[in-house]
Amino acid sequence: DLLRGADARAPVSGGEWEKIVNDADIHCLAPLLYRRLKATGSLDALPADVADRLARRVFGLAARSLVLAEELRSILQAFEDREVPCAPVRGPALAERLYGDVTARPSGDLDLLVRKEHLAQVRAILETLGFRHLDRRAGFAQAFSYTLVFVKDRHGWIVAEPHWTIAYPPFAAALDMEQVWQRMVREQVVGVETWGLVREDLLLHLCLHLL
């Protein structure tokens, strides 16, 4: 209700505010809640300790999001320079697409959509940028999964996951990804012109991710 415009100054106990802030954090809505409260001048309606904890949490998430956005910018530019198709999905790209701000939505890693036949090039590009392929069972993920995992030790671990489908098991092989690629559009993401999913494919991907 607060995010839809409810009055934050309505009588709310300290314990209720604590639950609201905790629930917002659990559902990755803390940045939006903080922005709403600040924009309406309602932060002082919260108990001081709860407001301080919310602010510290939001600033920490924002710092992490900026690091990921910077890393994503380097990745996308490297793929563009080498003419290897790559489309960012979720993460900072989704935050920017939905809210116009990479810090508006917390991100845990960097999800990239690539063509499976380009995985050798994808691996070479990411390794050039300092990422290490995390492959616990050599070749298993590429043969039987839908994504590879690359890690980089910077400000805490940064994880990049190149996917070759927008679906997940048991639907990973059910989509015609050639059609998805043909529908792709060119767009600006974190300052780089790159490939992006059309809205219908992005919505499908998000629904399958939730499922």
Side-chain angles (χ1 to χ4, degrees):
D1 287 343
L2 289 170
L3 297 180
R4 288 197 296 264
D7 186 0
R9 295 183 178 278
V12 178
S13 70
E16 289 173 319
W17 271 120
E18 186 151 357
K19 185 177 187 308
I20 289 170
V21 169
N22 287 341
D23 286 349
D25 196 24
I26 289 171
H27 294 288
C28 299
L29 295 172
L32 295 180
L33 175 63
Y34 181 81
R35 288 167 184 233
R36 172 66 185 167
L37 294 173
K38 187 173 182 180
T40 58
S42 303
L43 276 172
D44 58 359
L46 281 67
D49 62 322
V50 177
D52 180 64
R53 188 165 67 253
L54 174 61
R56 285 188 284 109
R57 175 60 171 161
V58 169
F59 295 157
L61 290 172
R64 176 66 176 173
S65 294
L66 290 172
V67 168
L68 289 175
E70 180 186 355
E71 202 67 52
L72 179 61
R73 184 181 302 112
S74 297
I75 290 172
L76 295 179
Q77 191 60 63
F79 275 85
E80 285 294 310
D81 292 344
R82 292 161 178 78
E83 299 183 345
V84 177
C86 174
V89 291
R90 303 199 317 276
L94 182 59
E96 188 175 65
R97 187 168 189 168
L98 292 179
Y99 308 110
D101 186 344
V102 297
T103 68
R105 176 183 179 273
S107 303
D109 53 19
L110 299 173
D111 294 288
L112 312 167
L113 183 63
V114 299
R115 291 179 179 271
K116 190 171 185 180
E117 60 266 28
H118 293 161
L119 286 180
Q121 295 159 276
V122 169
R123 177 172 181 171
I125 292 171
L126 291 174
E127 289 179 344
T128 297
L129 295 173
F131 285 88
R132 176 172 55 86
H133 185 204
L134 191 62
D135 193 8
R136 293 186 178 89
R137 294 177 62 185
F140 181 86
Q142 184 168 335
F144 299 106
S145 186
Y146 56 92
T147 184
L148 301 182
V149 178
F150 291 80
V151 296
K152 183 176 185 177
D153 187 3
R154 181 192 173 205
H155 299 293
W157 291 102
I158 293 176
V159 178
E161 296 188 350
H163 299 240
W164 47 89
T165 173
I166 59 172
Y168 298 87
F171 312 109
L175 293 180
D176 184 346
M177 286 304 301
E178 186 56 38
Q179 291 295 318
V180 172
W181 278 102
Q182 288 182 16
R183 289 191 294 269
M184 289 272 189
V185 295
R186 296 291 286 176
E187 60 184 12
Q188 286 277 330
V189 178
V190 294
V192 178
E193 184 176 354
T194 185
W195 293 102
L197 293 171
V198 296
R199 288 181 297 177
E200 294 82 359
D201 289 332
L202 176 60
L203 179 59
L204 174 61
H205 170 67
L206 294 175
C207 290
L208 291 171
H209 181 66
L210 180 63
L211 181 63

